[in-house]
């Protein structure tokens, strides 16, 4: 398996300063904890000595407690200063990052602008304006060819054409001729001769008409 080389990040002076401040903050926090324990121990010792009626030693314990409390106040102030420096460094780092981003953006804008020729831009604007003026002139000429009267005639022709198309689209009706309010239907012709009955039918009729013998 081949060796894999990993590029280590470069440690800057800012990184070293941040590391040193965080180390001091940790040490000060440890010292604060020890002082709190000493102050509480001296306070408890003063209570015990008072119970034993040893007032002088109890007073000495309280004085020692007071000294430790004053030292604790100083350490608290140092911790605040360290925290403030860390915050300032963080803000400065962010400001630097923003500045570098803005600088890169400005350089990119300059690079883009360097590729654009002002003369070409002006020529493009002039050509666009000329083309627009030419089109406007064409539209004006076409608009002047039709007067208000011509517009009315075109509209009337359009309505007439629309009416014709509507009539053509209507369904057809049956071929019926109306005369004097009556409907003439297609009926067969009236016969002009009397109908002739079949021979068998006439003989049977005569037999039925003759009287029967008594």
């Amino acid at each position: 398996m081949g060796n894999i080389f990993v590029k280590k990040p470069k440690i800057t002076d800012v990184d070293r300063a941040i590391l040193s401040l965080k180390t001091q903050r940790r040490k000060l926090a440890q010292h604060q904890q020890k002082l709190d324990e000493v102050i509480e121990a001296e306070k408890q010792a003063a209570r015990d000595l008072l119970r034993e009626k040893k007032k002088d030693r109890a007073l000495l314990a309280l004085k020692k407690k007071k000294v430790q409390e004053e030292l604790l106040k100083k350490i608290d102030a140092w911790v605040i200063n360290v925290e403030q420096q860390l915050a300032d460094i963080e803000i400065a780092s962010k400001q630097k990052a923003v500045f570098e981003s803005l600088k890169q953006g400005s350089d990119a804008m300059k690079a883009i602008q360097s590729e654009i020729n002002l003369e070409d831009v002006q020529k493009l604007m002039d050509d666009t304006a000329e083309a627009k003026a030419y089109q406007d002139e064409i539209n004006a000429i076409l608009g002047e060819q039709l007067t208000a009267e011509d517009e009315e005639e075109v509209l009337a022709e359009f309505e007439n054409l629309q009416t014709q198309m509507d009539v053509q689209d209507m369904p057809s009706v049956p071929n019926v001729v109306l005369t004097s309010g009556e409907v003439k239907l297609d009926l067969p012709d009236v016969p002009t001769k009397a109908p002739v009955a079949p021979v068998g039918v006439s003989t049977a009729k005569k037999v039925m008409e003759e009287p029967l013998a008594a």
Side-chain angles (χ1 to χ4, degrees), residues 78-111:
W78 295 342
V79 171
I80 292 174
N81 290 333
V82 171
E83 293 286 355
Q84 185 62 46
Q85 287 187 1
L86 286 172
D88 293 341
I89 292 175
E90 184 178 0
I91 292 174
S93 298
K94 291 182 178 180
Q95 289 176 345
K96 180 182 177 182
V98 172
F99 173 77
E100 291 178 352
S101 298
L102 292 175
K103 186 175 182 301
Q104 291 177 357
S106 177
D107 294 341
M109 182 65 68
K110 290 179 181 179

Side-chain angles (χ1 to χ4, degrees), residues 95-132:
Q95 289 176 345
K96 180 182 177 182
V98 172
F99 173 77
E100 291 178 352
S101 298
L102 292 175
K103 186 175 182 301
Q104 291 177 357
S106 177
D107 294 341
M109 182 65 68
K110 290 179 181 179
I112 294 173
Q113 291 176 349
S114 64
E115 298 176 358
I116 300 176
N117 191 347
L118 293 179
E119 294 181 356
D120 295 338
V121 175
Q122 186 62 43
K123 185 176 182 303
L124 177 62
M125 297 298 294
D126 294 341
D127 293 342
T128 303
E130 183 179 354
K132 184 177 183 304

Side-chain angles (χ1 to χ4, degrees), residues 125-205:
M125 297 298 294
D126 294 341
D127 293 342
T128 303
E130 183 179 354
K132 184 177 183 304
Y134 181 73
Q135 185 63 40
D136 293 341
E137 184 177 357
I138 293 176
N139 294 336
I141 294 174
L142 293 176
E144 292 176 356
Q145 291 180 353
L146 295 179
T147 62
E149 184 177 357
D150 294 334
E151 292 287 348
E152 292 180 358
E153 291 180 358
V154 171
L155 182 59
E157 184 178 0
F158 172 77
E159 293 178 352
N160 186 22
L161 181 61
Q162 184 68 36
T163 302
Q164 294 178 2
M165 294 177 63
D166 294 340
V167 171
Q168 293 177 359
D169 293 338
M170 292 177 62
S172 58
V173 297
N175 187 12
V176 178
V177 179
L178 300 178
T179 304
S180 300
E182 295 181 356
V183 179
K184 182 177 180 181
L185 300 178
D186 191 6
L187 300 177
D189 296 335
V190 178
T192 56
K193 298 180 179 181
V196 179
V199 177
V201 174
S202 179
T203 306
K205 185 177 180 180

